[in-house]
Amino acid sequence: MTGQQVQLRVALAQVDTRVGDIPGNVELVTRWTAKAAEAGASLVVFPEMTLTGYPPEDLVLRESFARASEHALVDLAASLADQGLGGMAVVVGYLAHTEGTGPAAVESMPEDDRPADANPRRGAPRNAAALLYGGDVVVRYYKRHLPNYGVFDEARYFVPGTELPVVRLHGIDVALTVCEDLWVEGGPCGVAGQAGVDLVVSPNASPYERAKDDLRLPLVRRRAAEARATIVYCNQVGGQDELVFDGDSMAVAPDGELLGRAPQFVEHLLTADLTIDPSSVAERRDGRIGAMTVTRHVVSEEPRPAFEARPPSVAEPLEDHEEVWRALVLGLRDFIDKNGMPSVVLGLSGGIDSAVVAALAVDALGADRVYGVGLPSKYSSEHSLADAEDLAKRTGLHYSVVPIAPMVDAYHGSVELTGVAAENLQARVRGTLLMGLSNQSGHLLLTTGNKSEVAVGYSTLYGDSAGGFAPIKDVPKTLVWELARWRNAFARDRGETEPIPANSIEKPPSAELAPGQVDTDSLPSYDELDGVIADYVDRDLGMADLLERGHDPEVVARVLRLIDAAEFKRRQSAPGTKISLKAFGRDRRLPITNRWRESLPSVREGAAQS
C-alpha cells in the first residue's frame, strides 16, 4: 500500500575542476553549493574526485597530496556550515588515504571478504566520495570497481572499497557510488537494490568519446531499474591533458523516466525535483549483501516541506559534428588556460589541417590570442599563401609571412641533401622558426597533424610534428573535412562569415615539399586509409578480421607496416584531445621495439616521410 510521498530537490553541479588545485577546487565547491542553495536544493552532487581534479595520475602516490585532500574535505565541511550552508547535503569526490588496509591488512582478511580486484599497497589511496552535512563529514564511500582499461589506470593507484553507506536524508535513503560502479551489472547498484534505498547518487569523471552520450542514458536506466531507485549521475566537464569531459549529467527514475539532463561541454547546475514514496521499498536491509557491507546512517528523518515541482529540464544531445567540434574546442581551451599560456602560434599552409586547427583555436581562445604564420618555400603554390591569408581575414587572427627559401638554400650550401631528406629539411626549418617565435613571444606552438598522418608517420620529426599541443591528433583526415564543412555551415546558418576558405577544403591535400606533390603519392586514399586505421588502431583487429571486413589486402599490408613502424614517432608527438574509441597516447600503448607483425604475403610497401 502506498504511503506518504516525499519531495526532494537535487542539484547536480557539473563543474570544471583543475588537477592539483585543491584550494581552487574547494572554492569551486563552495560557490556552486551556494548556487544550489539559491535554487532551493536540499542535496547537491559534485563529480568524481572534485577536490583533487581527475585524473590525478601519480600524484595519488604522494601521501602529502592525499593528506591535503583529506584535510581539505574536513575543512570544507566546517567552512560550508560557517557560511550558512550547513543545511545543504553535499556529495563531493576526493582522494582518501586510509590506514591499516595495506598488504598486511588485506592478507589478514577472511578470503571471502577480500575484494576480487584488490590491489593493496602500503597505506591505502582511495577514490572516494563523501556526504557533508551540518559541518561534518557524515559518511565516506570508497569506489568499489576500479577501471583498468583504455585511459584508466585505477588498479595501479587505488584500493577498492567493500562498504556501501546509506544515509537517511529528510526521510529518504540515499546510497553513494562512484563512476565505474555504475557500469558494472550486479555491482553497488545491485547491492543498493537488495538493501532497499530511495536514491543513488553517482559522482562521475567519464571522459568524452564520440557518441558516448548515446550509451549513458540506457546505462543509467539499467542501473536505476537494478537499484529500484532514482539515480542522479553527475559528470565532470572540461579538458585535462588528452582527455575532455562533456558533462551530460542526468537524473533517471526507476521506471526509466528522464527527470533532467544537463547540456554538454559547459559548466551547469541541473536541478531535478524528485517525488519518492519510501513505503514502496518492501524491505530495508543492512549488513553483508553479496561482496559489500551495507551500513546505515541517519541525518534527518523529517521530510522537507512540500513545494511546487518545476518542469524537468532536459537538454538535447548535440549533433555528431557539433559534439566533436565542441569537444576539441574545450580540450584546447582548457589545455591553454589551465597551463597559464597567453596565446598560440601555428603554421598556416593554406591546407585543410592548419585551417581547421586555426578555426578551432579562434573558437577556443578568441582571434586576438591566435597567431598564424605563412612559411612558403619555393615549392609552395600561389593558392597556398592566398588561402592562408584568406583564412586569417575570415577569422581575424594575427597573420605574418616568413619565406623559408633563403634559409633552406643556406642549409644546402653547407650540406648536400636529396630526396626525402631534402623535403624534410623544409619542414624542419619551418618547425625551428615556429619554435623560435613560440619562445620569443610566449605562444604555445600548435601542431596541425591529424590522426591519419600520426598513424602512418606521415610527418617530419622536429618539423611539422613540433609543438606543444595537437588539437586534431585524434581526428581522422576524412573527419577533418567533415568538420570543416560543418563549421562553415554552422556559421552560414547564423549569418556569420564562414571561417574556412572553400579552396582549403576542396583542393587535393599536399605537403608541398616537392614539385606537384600530393598525399596520394605516398598514401592510399584517405577513405581507405581511415577505414583501416579505425579497425586496426581503434578496434585492435588482426589481419584476418581486417580482410573479413572487406579491406583490400595490399592496402592493409601497406598501412599496417607504416603504422607499426611509426611507433617511435608517436612517442615523441604532442598530446592532443581524445575523441575516438582509442587515441594515440595514454589510450594505446605498444612497445617501440617489437617484432610482431600481422602476416600477409609480401606486397610492395609505399614510402612515407621520416
Side-chain angles (χ1 to χ4, degrees):
M1 184 174 178
T2 302
Q4 183 181 3
Q5 293 184 327
V6 177
Q7 288 182 292
L8 189 72
R9 179 168 293 160
V10 179
L12 288 76
Q14 180 175 288
V15 295
D16 188 348
T17 61
R18 295 191 182 205
V19 168
D21 184 9
I22 293 177
N25 294 333
V26 166
E27 190 278 329
L28 192 72
V29 171
T30 303
R31 180 158 38 92
W32 285 79
T33 298
K35 290 183 180 182
E38 290 171 10
S42 298
L43 167 66
V44 59
V45 184
F46 286 87
E48 181 176 10
M49 298 194 81
T50 297
L51 296 190
T52 57
Y54 186 89
E57 301 187 67
D58 277 12
L59 285 173
V60 169
L61 304 179
R62 297 188 193 176
E63 190 171 327
S64 59
F65 185 62
R67 295 295 183 208
S69 171
E70 289 269 14
H71 293 153
L73 180 75
V74 174
D75 292 346
L76 173 63
S79 174
L80 290 172
D82 290 344
Q83 296 178 56
L85 297 169
M88 172 74 70
V90 179
V91 174
V92 61
Y94 72 106
L95 170 63
H97 189 282
T98 55
E99 301 291 353
T101 49
V106 171
E107 287 299 322
S108 67
M109 291 180 184
E111 190 169 340
D112 290 346
D113 289 348
R114 295 179 194 173
D117 50 356
N119 185 12
R121 55 192 85 248
R122 187 163 298 165
R126 306 275 199 169
N127 184 334
L131 188 144
L132 315 180
Y133 187 85
D136 295 322
V137 179
V138 177
V139 295
R140 302 165 187 259
Y141 171 76
Y142 304 132
K143 187 175 181 178
R144 170 67 183 162
H145 294 283
L146 305 176
N148 209 53
Y149 54 85
V151 300
F152 302 107
D153 289 312
E154 293 203 10
R156 169 183 169 87
Y157 300 116
F158 302 118
V159 174
T162 58
E163 185 175 297
L164 182 70
V166 178
V167 179
R168 174 64 60 89
L169 177 69
H170 307 310
I172 291 173
D173 281 346
V174 182
L176 275 63
T177 62
V178 173
C179 201
E180 186 74 7
D181 294 334
L182 204 66
W183 291 79
V184 177
E185 185 176 359
C189 287
V191 173
Q194 295 179 62
V197 304
D198 304 299
L199 177 65
V200 176
V201 297
S202 177
N204 283 258
S206 176
Y208 169 78
E209 61 190 45
R210 199 172 176 188
K212 192 172 185 179
D213 60 302
D214 294 341
L215 302 176
R216 288 197 185 107
L217 179 55
L219 169 75
V220 178
R221 280 177 167 151
R222 291 196 299 273
R223 293 294 89 80
E226 186 179 25
R228 304 170 198 165
T230 297
I231 289 183
V232 292
Y233 167 101
C234 182
N235 192 31
Q236 180 173 311
V237 69
Q240 171 59 30
D241 296 345
E242 295 159 297
L243 302 181
V244 65
F245 301 86
D246 61 325
D248 194 31
S249 303
M250 64 186 73
V252 176
D255 63 0
E257 180 187 358
L258 185 59
L259 304 175
R261 191 170 193 173
Q264 294 172 272
F265 303 111
V266 292
E267 289 191 306
H268 184 79
L269 186 75
L270 174 69
T271 59
D273 288 345
L274 312 181
T275 301
I276 293 169
D277 179 7
S279 69
S280 65
V281 177
E283 182 184 13
R284 297 181 189 266
R285 301 166 51 196
D286 56 15
R288 188 63 178 263
I289 300 178
M292 302 190 77
T293 300
V294 177
T295 60
R296 291 190 178 265
H297 314 263
V298 177
V299 165
S300 60
E301 292 280 7
E302 191 65 26
R304 284 297 197 204
F307 55 84
E308 185 176 347
R310 299 168 181 166
S313 173
V314 179
E316 290 296 322
L318 299 172
E319 179 271 333
D320 179 53
H321 292 104
E322 181 174 4
E323 181 184 89
V324 172
W325 188 271
R326 291 189 183 277
L328 297 171
V329 166
L330 182 56
L332 173 57
R333 178 190 300 131
D334 270 9
F335 188 85
I336 299 302
D337 289 346
K338 289 180 179 180
N339 284 293
M341 297 166 184
S343 50
V344 297
V345 64
L346 71 156
L348 291 181
S349 67
I352 186 63
D353 294 325
S354 65
V356 165
V357 170
L360 285 166
V362 169
D363 282 359
L365 307 173
D368 197 48
R369 297 174 67 189
V370 182
Y371 292 76
V373 185
L375 298 158
S377 73
K378 64 182 179 180
Y379 299 120
S380 298
S381 57
E382 289 185 14
H383 62 72
S384 293
L385 269 180
D387 293 341
E389 185 176 356
D390 186 16
L391 176 124
K393 288 177 179 176
R394 288 169 177 268
T395 59
L397 57 77
H398 303 276
Y399 181 63
S400 59
V401 177
V402 181
I404 67 165
M407 296 169 233
V408 173
D409 289 343
Y411 270 98
H412 283 305
S414 300
V415 61
E416 184 178 349
L417 297 173
T418 60
V420 172
E423 292 180 24
N424 289 343
L425 174 61
Q426 299 166 66
R428 290 188 175 113
V429 168
R430 289 185 174 117
T432 299
L433 279 170
L434 289 168
M435 283 304 304
L437 294 171
S438 169
N439 295 157
Q440 180 72 26
S441 302
H443 312 309
L444 180 79
L445 175 57
L446 300 181
T447 181
T448 60
N450 59 65
K451 186 170 188 173
S452 309
E453 295 168 347
V454 172
V456 297
Y458 193 67
S459 62
T460 302
L461 278 177
Y462 325 120
D464 55 312
S465 66
F469 194 73
I472 60 171
K473 179 181 180 179
D474 198 32
V475 183
K477 185 80 167 190
T478 49
L479 182 56
V480 173
W481 276 306
E482 291 174 22
L483 290 174
R485 293 188 176 96
W486 173 84
R487 183 62 183 86
N488 278 356
F490 183 82
R492 190 166 58 248
D493 291 345
R494 285 156 181 73
E496 300 168 355
T497 301
E498 298 177 22
I500 300 170
N503 198 43
S504 294
I505 299 173
E506 302 302 332
K507 65 187 177 185
S510 169
E512 292 194 327
L513 299 176
Q517 185 182 57
V518 291
D519 289 2
T520 49
D521 294 341
S522 302
L523 300 173
S525 74
Y526 280 111
D527 282 335
E528 288 182 297
L529 178 60
D530 287 352
V532 175
I533 291 170
D535 284 341
Y536 184 58
V537 174
D538 293 14
R539 300 183 182 94
D540 275 321
L541 298 185
M543 181 65 72
D545 291 326
L546 291 167
L547 298 183
E548 223 176 86
R549 289 177 71 88
H551 296 294
D552 179 87
E554 290 200 7
V555 170
V556 168
R558 180 182 175 194
V559 170
L560 266 54
R561 280 197 286 269
L562 293 174
I563 292 173
D564 292 345
E567 185 62 34
F568 77 100
K569 284 190 179 184
R570 289 190 289 273
R571 290 289 184 94
Q572 302 178 67
S573 64
T577 302
K578 167 184 163 67
I579 64 160
S580 72
L581 182 65
K582 183 170 288 189
F584 292 117
R586 61 182 295 153
D587 212 11
R588 182 181 189 266
R589 307 169 218 182
L590 290 174
I592 295 173
T593 307
N594 169 23
R595 294 195 67 178
W596 172 257
R597 295 293 182 265
E598 296 292 329
S599 59
L600 188 78
S602 180
V603 295
R604 188 174 180 273
E605 179 187 357
Q609 295 172 309
S610 60

